[in-house]
Amino acid sequence: MSYYGSSSSGGRGGRRVEYGRSYVVRPKGRHLATIVWLHGLGDNGASWSQLLDALPLPNIKWICPTAATRPVAAFGGFPCTAWFDVDDTSVDGRDDIEGLDASAAHIANLLSSEPSDVKLGIGGFSMGAAAALHSAACYAHGKFSSGTPYPITLSAVVSLSGWLPCSRTLRGKMEGSHMAARRAASLPILLSHGRADEVVPYRNGERSTEFLRSSGFSYLTFKTYNGLGHYTIPEEMDDVCKWLSSRLSVDRSR
C-alpha cells in the first residue's frame, strides 16, 4: 500500500521520483522491531546495511533503502542520491517540503507491511537523519506537510550528525493539538553529533534539539562526541545500541 500516491511519487512539480534498492538485514533472534535506516547524501543503502548487520541487536530487522537520484542544489544541480533537495545543511536552509514529504511517505510505505506486533523506528545519518526527523514531525503532527494523514506509529527515531528540516514551522504545527502534543512527548528521539563535524556543524545539531524540545518533544536525548567529525565511530554506535535496546525493550548480544 502507498500513502503518497505511489511509493515512487513526489519531487518538484509532481514529477516521478524513482527510489533505489532497499537492503534488508534480517533479525538473528525473535523479530521485535523494524527500523528503516537512511544513508547520507550521495551514499546508498548497502554501506549502512553492512555496519548495522554487525550490531549486537538480534531482535531488530533493518531496512536500508537507497534514495532517488536527483539534482542537488548544494552541488550546483549535479545529480546524486538524495532524500530531498538541499542547498544548506542547516536548520536555516531552504526546505524542499515536497521532497521531504515524498521520502517520508516512501519510508512509511516500507514500514507499513511489518507485523502489527513489531515496533517501528526510523534512523539515519546526515541527510538521512534530517529525513528521519522530518518523519518524526509528521508522525507527531498526524499528517505530512501536504495534509495527507501519516499512516504508521513510531516507537523510536535516531539522528546521527543531522539537522531538523522545517524547524521554523514545527512549533506552530504542534500547538493547538492535544493529540500532537501527546505523540511528541511520548516519542523517544536520540540525536548524536560530533563537536568537530565540518559538514553539518555541531551548532545545527544543538539548535535542532532546542527546536524539538520547544515544540514538545520532551523524550529526547542529545549525545555529543568531542573530536568527532562527519562520520560515526564505535563508541557512538555502541551508545545507539544501548539506547535502542532500552527504548524498544530488545535484547543485546555479544
Side-chain angles (χ1 to χ4, degrees), residues 140-151:
H141 192 213
K143 52 191 172 184
F144 298 101
S145 302
S146 64
T148 304
Y150 190 78

Side-chain angles (χ1 to χ4, degrees), residues 67-199:
T69 297
R70 69 183 82 207
V72 176
F75 294 158
F78 186 83
C80 67
T81 52
W83 297 110
F84 51 92
D85 190 20
V86 64
D87 53 14
D88 180 15
T89 56
S90 80
V91 294
D92 298 316
R94 175 183 57 80
D95 293 312
D96 174 17
I97 294 173
E98 192 174 354
L100 282 159
D101 265 11
S103 286
H106 180 63
I107 297 158
N109 289 337
L110 292 173
L111 290 168
S112 65
S113 59
E114 292 302 293
S116 59
D117 61 342
V118 165
K119 295 177 180 177
L120 307 177
I122 303 172
F125 173 78
S126 192
M127 173 181 263
L133 291 177
H134 180 70
S135 292
C138 291
Y139 162 69
H141 192 213
K143 52 191 172 184
F144 298 101
S145 302
S146 64
T148 304
Y150 190 78
I152 59 172
T153 299
L154 294 179
S155 296
V157 173
V158 178
S159 165
L160 305 185
S161 306
W163 72 95
L164 175 67
C166 307
S167 57
R168 295 176 292 276
T169 58
L170 180 59
R171 187 171 178 178
K173 287 180 179 179
M174 294 297 109
E175 290 175 344
S177 169
H178 295 299
M179 186 65 73
R182 280 200 297 272
R183 280 192 292 254
S186 63
L187 177 62
I189 301 179
L190 171 66
L191 294 96
S192 297
H193 220 104
R195 290 184 177 272
D197 194 324
E198 69 288 359
V199 177

